[in-house]
Amino acid sequence: MTDFIKLKFLVITTISMCSTFFSCKKTADIKEYQAYFGGEVTNPTSQYILFLKDSEVIDSVKLDEKNRFFFSFDSLAPGLYSFKSEPEYQYIYFDKNDSLMVHIDAKDFDNSLAFCGRGDQKNNFLMELYLKNEADKNTMFSLFEYDFDKFNAKIDSTQRANTRFYESKKEEIKWSEDFDKFAKAALDFNYYTKKELYPKVHGVRTGIDVYEKIPENYYAFRKEINFNESQFSDYAPFIMYVSHMLNNKATILYHNHLTDIDKELKTNINKLNIVDTLIKNEKVKNKILNNIAFQYLLEDQNVVNNNIFIDKYYKLSSDKSHKNEILKIGNAIQLLRPKFELPIVNLIDTNGKMISSDKISTKETVIFFWTQKLSSHLEATHKKLLLLKQKYPNYQFVAVNLDKDQEAWTKTLAKYKFNGISEYRCADFEDLKEKWAITKVHRTIILDKKGLIKNAFTNIFDVKFEEELK
C-alpha cells in the first residue's frame, strides 16, 4: 500500500472515532475560539501526548487505558501548533472553532497519521505534502550527480507538479490566508533547499566544482523570501532551508592556510554574521543563531574554538533565557578547561547503586560515552578502548551509558562482556549534558593523575588521540 493510499485509508478508518466524538458536540455549543483535539495511539512509545506552540509545551495529557487522549481548549488562537508523542512530533493547524481527531500508529508515525473533524482537510493536505516531500528526498541524492541543466529541469518538473497539487487543494478547501503562509512555505522551501544543496552535494558526489558555473540568476528566489516572518521561527521547512542556505553562503571555498578545525570555526562565524545582517526580527534571528550554535557545538571538539565561537554568539543573540541550551553549553565549556576539576554528576553502577563521579577516578582516566541506539559505535569504542588499555595500563577506562533503561543496559553488558572497562550509566542525562557539555556521543574526556581535566573535548578515533595519553 503506497503512503498516499494509506493516508486516505486511515482517514476513513478514523471516521468512526470522529463520529463518536462529534455526536456529543453541537455546533451551537461551541464558544468562540473553543477547540478540541483528541485521538488514539496504537503501539505507543510514550504514555503522554504533548501539545506545543513554538516549541513550548502548553498542555499535556496521559493516554487512557484504551490509548486515547483528549484536549479541550476554552480559548485557542488560530495558528500553527505541534503535538508530540516522544520521540516523534508533527504540526497541526487550528482555525477558529476547529476541532480535530487523529489516528497515530507510533511505529510508523508520519505515514499512519490521519485527521478528521472540523479543519481536517487542510491538516491532511499538510501531511500529504509532507509525505510527498519525504518521498522526494529519498530519490534526490542520485539527482545531485546530474549536470546543472539536467538537475534543474528535474527539480523544476517536480515543483510544477507539486504546485498544481497545492493550487487544486487551495481552491477545493478554500483555506485562510494565514494557513496559506505555511502551506506555501512547505511547498517552496523544499524546492529552495534542493537548489541550495546542489553545488556542495554535486561536488562531494562527483568531485566536480560547479560553484563558478552556476548562472547568476540561480539564487534569484532568495530575494523573494521574507526572512523576518516571525510565524516561521519554529517551522521546520523554513529552519531547514535557512540552515542549508547558510551552509552555502558561508562556506570558505578556496584556501591553503586553514586547518580543518579553524576552517569550520571561520565558516560558522561567517554564518553568525550573515544572520546578523540578514534577519532583523528578534524571534527569528535568535532561533537561527541558536540552531547554528547547537549544530556547531555538536561537531566541534576544540575548547579554544568553542569559546571563540560562543563569545561571538553572545554578542549577536538577545536570547538570555535560562532555558537557552547554548548558554548552558557555554557555561559548561568554561568549567571544562584543562587543570579544572570535572564537575560532579551522579552515575549508577551495574548493581543500581548511585555513585558520585568524583569517586570513580583513582588514577589517570579516560571517560567515553555510548548508547544502545548506536550499536556500531558501542562495539567500536569498546574494542578501541580495550586495545588502549593493553598499551596504557596506567590508565583507567570508564564507559558512561547515556540511556535510561537499567535492565536493558545490564543485559547489553552481559552480552558483550567488556572486561577491564569500568561501566556506569548516567543517572540524569540533562544534568550530565549541562555540566559536561555532552551534546554528542562521540566525546572523550581525559583526566590526569590528580583527577583534573587534561582534555575534555577529544575523541578516541582522532588520529592524534594516543599522543594525549603519553
Side-chain angles (χ1 to χ4, degrees), residues 233-446:
S233 64
D234 197 53
Y235 195 38
F238 172 76
I239 299 298
M240 183 178 295
Y241 165 73
V242 174
S243 176
H244 290 303
M245 181 271 290
L246 291 171
N247 285 341
N248 210 358
K249 292 190 70 172
T251 296
I252 301 167
L253 296 176
Y254 312 110
H255 71 92
N256 54 11
H257 62 283
L258 294 174
T259 64
D260 288 342
I261 291 176
D262 288 341
K263 178 186 174 185
E264 194 66 21
L265 171 64
K266 188 170 178 59
T267 296
N268 280 275
I269 293 291
N270 285 348
K271 291 181 184 180
L272 297 180
N273 287 328
I274 292 169
V275 171
D276 187 47
T277 301
L278 184 65
I279 304 176
K280 302 305 177 185
N281 180 280
E282 188 175 285
K283 184 179 180 181
V284 180
K285 180 178 178 178
N286 284 336
K287 183 72 176 185
I288 300 299
L289 289 175
N290 287 350
N291 194 50
I292 295 167
F294 196 71
Q295 288 187 21
Y296 175 70
L297 294 170
L298 276 172
E299 296 301 324
D300 187 52
Q301 298 296 303
N302 182 291
V303 68
V304 174
N305 283 1
N306 278 343
N307 284 325
I308 293 171
F309 176 85
I310 285 176
D311 284 345
K312 181 66 176 181
Y313 163 83
Y314 283 166
K315 292 175 182 177
L316 301 181
S317 174
S318 61
D319 183 1
K320 308 305 180 191
S321 166
H322 68 281
K323 297 178 182 179
N324 187 341
E325 292 291 324
I326 309 308
L327 293 178
K328 293 178 183 179
I329 295 170
N331 291 335
I333 289 171
Q334 296 299 322
L335 298 175
L336 293 170
R337 287 175 286 177
K339 304 300 181 183
F340 276 51
E341 291 183 354
L342 188 65
I344 296 173
V345 300
N346 286 324
L347 302 172
I348 299 173
D349 68 14
T350 53
N351 296 316
K353 181 182 177 182
M354 191 85 74
I355 297 175
S356 177
S357 61
D358 62 334
K359 306 298 183 185
I360 65 171
S361 177
T362 57
K363 54 183 178 179
E364 292 175 292
T365 303
V366 171
I367 303 174
F368 66 103
F369 305 88
W370 63 278
T371 171
Q372 289 169 267
K373 297 173 184 176
L374 297 174
S375 57
S376 59
H377 174 262
L378 145 68
E379 295 175 9
T381 51
H382 278 81
K383 288 178 180 178
K384 174 82 172 179
L385 267 296
L386 288 171
L387 291 174
L388 290 174
K389 183 175 177 59
Q390 295 177 3
K391 293 179 67 174
Y392 303 95
N394 54 310
Y395 270 89
Q396 177 183 3
F397 293 87
V398 176
V400 177
N401 177 260
L402 302 177
D403 301 318
K404 294 181 180 180
D405 192 323
Q406 177 81 6
E407 183 179 356
W409 170 58
T410 54
K411 284 183 177 178
T412 299
L413 292 178
K415 172 185 174 183
Y416 285 102
K417 295 182 173 62
F418 296 121
N419 297 325
I421 296 177
S422 302
E423 299 280 354
Y424 298 94
R425 185 174 66 81
C426 72
D428 183 343
F429 178 70
E430 290 302 317
D431 186 56
L432 182 79
K433 182 172 70 172
E434 186 170 332
K435 292 180 179 176
W436 289 6
I438 300 299
T439 56
K440 59 183 291 185
V441 72
H442 304 85
R443 252 288 285 290
T444 308
I445 297 172
I446 304 175

Side-chain angles (χ1 to χ4, degrees), residues 171-187:
E171 176 64 25
E172 174 190 340
I173 300 171
K174 300 188 186 306
W175 54 56
S176 66
E177 289 185 14
D178 187 71
F179 175 79
D180 192 55
K181 287 183 182 178
F182 297 102
K184 193 71 163 60
L187 171 73

Side-chain angles (χ1 to χ4, degrees), residues 121-133:
Q121 287 182 300
K122 57 181 176 285
N123 281 288
N124 283 324
F125 162 78
L126 278 185
M127 278 308 305
E128 194 165 352
L129 184 59
Y130 172 80
L131 292 175
K132 282 178 178 287
N133 289 339

Side-chain angles (χ1 to χ4, degrees), residues 147-162:
D147 64 40
F148 175 78
D149 290 336
K150 188 176 180 181
F151 170 81
N152 218 36
K154 181 64 177 177
I155 66 169
D156 283 352
S157 174
T158 302
Q159 179 67 357
R160 285 193 295 271
N162 287 342

